[in-house]
Amino acid sequence: MGILERFEQRVERLIGSGLSQSESGEVQPVDIASELIKEIDDCATFAGFGKTVVQNDFSVDLASSDYERL
């Protein structure tokens, strides 16, 4: 994946996540899952024939109000 493709995906993710949060005003579990899936897809690397390596440990930071609500 080229530098321009990565940049485009990051911009798309920033715009998309900003729009989804502004509609409801609150972070939803599906928003968190969607962002994790995008991150996994963006950072996947190929390690040999038919093998893909992805990150499997994540930290999610939430505002205290979102944390209490969720």
Side-chain angles (χ1 to χ4, degrees), residues 4-16:
L4 290 178
E5 288 177 1
R6 287 186 194 148
F7 176 74
E8 182 179 321
Q9 286 180 349
R10 299 280 179 180
V11 170
E12 181 180 289
R13 185 173 4 159
L14 288 172
I15 292 171

Side-chain angles (χ1 to χ4, degrees), residues 4-44:
L4 290 178
E5 288 177 1
R6 287 186 194 148
F7 176 74
E8 182 179 321
Q9 286 180 349
R10 299 280 179 180
V11 170
E12 181 180 289
R13 185 173 4 159
L14 288 172
I15 292 171
S17 65
L19 290 176
S20 69
Q21 288 178 3
S22 66
E23 290 173 5
S24 67
E26 297 178 336
V27 175
Q28 298 296 321
V30 69
D31 294 330
I32 297 169
S34 295
E35 292 301 316
L36 288 174
I37 291 169
K38 288 178 190 175
E39 185 66 23
I40 289 169
D41 288 342
D42 289 349
C43 296

Side-chain angles (χ1 to χ4, degrees), residues 2 4 9 16 21 23 25 42-44 51 53-54 56-57 62 69:
L4 290 178
Q9 286 180 349
Q21 288 178 3
E23 290 173 5
D42 289 349
C43 296
K51 295 184 180 183
V53 177
V54 296
N56 64 357
D57 185 26
L62 298 171
R69 186 178 50 78

